[in-house]
Amino acid sequence: MTIGNIIVLSGAGISQESGLATFRDSDGEWSRVRLEDVATPEGYRRDPARVHAFYNARRQQLGQVKPNAAHFALARLEESWPGQMLVVTQNIDDLHERAGTKALIHMHGELNKARCDLCGSIAPWSGDLNQQSHCGDCRQAGHLRPHVVWFGEIPLEMGRISKALNQCHLFVAVGTSGNVYPAAGFVSQVRSRPGTRTVELNLLPSEGASLFAEANYGPASEVVPAFVDHLLNSL
Ligand code: APR
């Protein structure tokens, strides 16, 4: 097989077996809480304490979960693949990096960082955030928010992602429902270039399943390591 550049787009499904809920499955986050309340700038302005509580709980959960076989398999692929590989994740958890992935973009931000609305500083944040939290740079209180991208905001590093998509030969989407743009549109962007291989790895066919040329369905902890083995054995 040709050695080329790989992009893996991951979503909440890859972390589900680590114990983190997805969003749109029947037991997902959006079945318990309205996304308008906790994942929009308007919801934050209306009730910052509620939004902080939602992300504080999720940040605390990170200490109780570990990467699973799917995260580790992708790190192994990055280490062994002779071409370039980039993981673009919609997840705000830190399981890819804890598994060893190095080339990684968190397009929807990171739970373990806080951003100051006043001075723009972005800093690691492992404890709880609240309206009294002080920015480590400008020292002002009341302006720190979770460094996550909410609905209506622009995802991070889109320029770098778009450039990588235009140079990729294999695009693999793992554990994402294909509901949220711009990530849901990446497969169409790469498909427009002849010869680019597109693969969906998911528990069930996603909204965008018909856009992928290939698919393997099952739990990420099984289908991702199997796919990685297959790729590496084909070298
Ligand atoms: N293995 C593989 N796939 C799984 C597993 C599993 N164990 N469990 C669930 N899935 C699949 C589901 O079938 C679904 O297609 O993962 C997908 C999860 O979809 P969503 O809950 O919509 O998560 P995601 O696609 O990451 O959501 C995108 O929406 O609300 C926002 O900002 C949030 O980044 C998130 C974005």
Side-chain angles (χ1 to χ4, degrees):
M1 109 148 232
T2 339
I3 311 299
N5 300 335
I6 302 176
I7 293 192
V8 176
L9 170 69
S10 70
I14 197 167
S15 298
Q16 190 268 339
E17 291 162 89
S18 292
L20 298 177
T22 62
F23 294 96
R24 293 174 184 76
D25 291 314
S26 56
D27 56 348
E29 297 284 2
W30 301 152
S31 69
R32 290 189 282 266
V33 57
R34 282 170 14 113
L35 72 83
E36 294 82 357
D37 290 336
V38 298
T40 60
E42 296 75 23
Y44 182 57
R45 276 196 291 276
R46 261 196 317 271
D47 193 345
R50 178 184 192 160
V51 174
H52 281 310
F54 177 74
Y55 291 97
N56 287 343
R58 298 185 63 204
R59 195 177 302 106
Q60 285 169 17
Q61 244 194 320
L62 293 184
Q64 294 145 27
V65 299
K66 293 193 174 91
N68 65 54
H71 299 101
F72 285 116
L74 292 179
R76 181 162 58 88
L77 180 61
E78 180 185 37
E79 197 168 273
S80 308
W81 187 249
Q84 290 185 359
M85 172 170 161
L86 173 67
V87 175
V88 178
T89 188
Q90 299 167 88
N91 299 343
I92 58 176
D93 67 51
D94 58 354
L95 297 180
H96 280 299
E97 47 271 54
R98 278 163 59 192
T101 288
K102 295 197 172 49
L104 174 66
I105 294 178
H106 277 279
M107 64 178 290
H108 291 170
E110 293 170 72
L111 265 176
N112 276 332
K113 288 186 180 164
R115 183 166 85 236
C116 179
D117 265 341
L118 206 56
C119 74
S121 143
I122 298 165
W125 199 272
S126 53
D128 284 353
L129 263 179
N130 60 42
Q131 289 153 275
Q132 285 74 48
S133 302
H134 280 77
C135 170
D137 276 349
C138 70
R139 310 304 307 165
Q140 300 298 310
H143 297 280
L144 280 186
R145 57 165 276 185
H147 182 48
V148 300
V149 176
W150 288 325
F151 286 91
E153 298 182 322
I154 299 169
L156 308 177
E157 305 211 48
M158 285 307 298
R160 223 177 114 205
I161 296 171
S162 194
K163 193 168 164 210
L165 288 169
N166 287 336
Q167 293 168 354
C168 100
H169 305 93
L170 168 60
F171 176 79
V172 187
V174 182
T176 179
S177 62
N179 269 281
V180 176
Y181 285 83
F186 291 170
V187 61
S188 303
Q189 183 175 340
V190 299
R191 255 165 56 110
S192 63
R193 276 204 339 281
T196 308
R197 191 173 166 200
T198 55
V199 183
E200 166 160 283
L201 304 178
N202 209 39
L203 192 57
L204 301 163
S206 73
E207 290 277 314
S210 61
L211 298 169
F212 292 83
E214 300 167 46
N216 289 324
Y217 295 115
S221 68
E222 294 173 18
V223 292
V224 178
F227 183 74
V228 166
D229 287 344
H230 170 76
L231 270 185
L232 293 177
N233 289 337
S234 68
L235 283 174

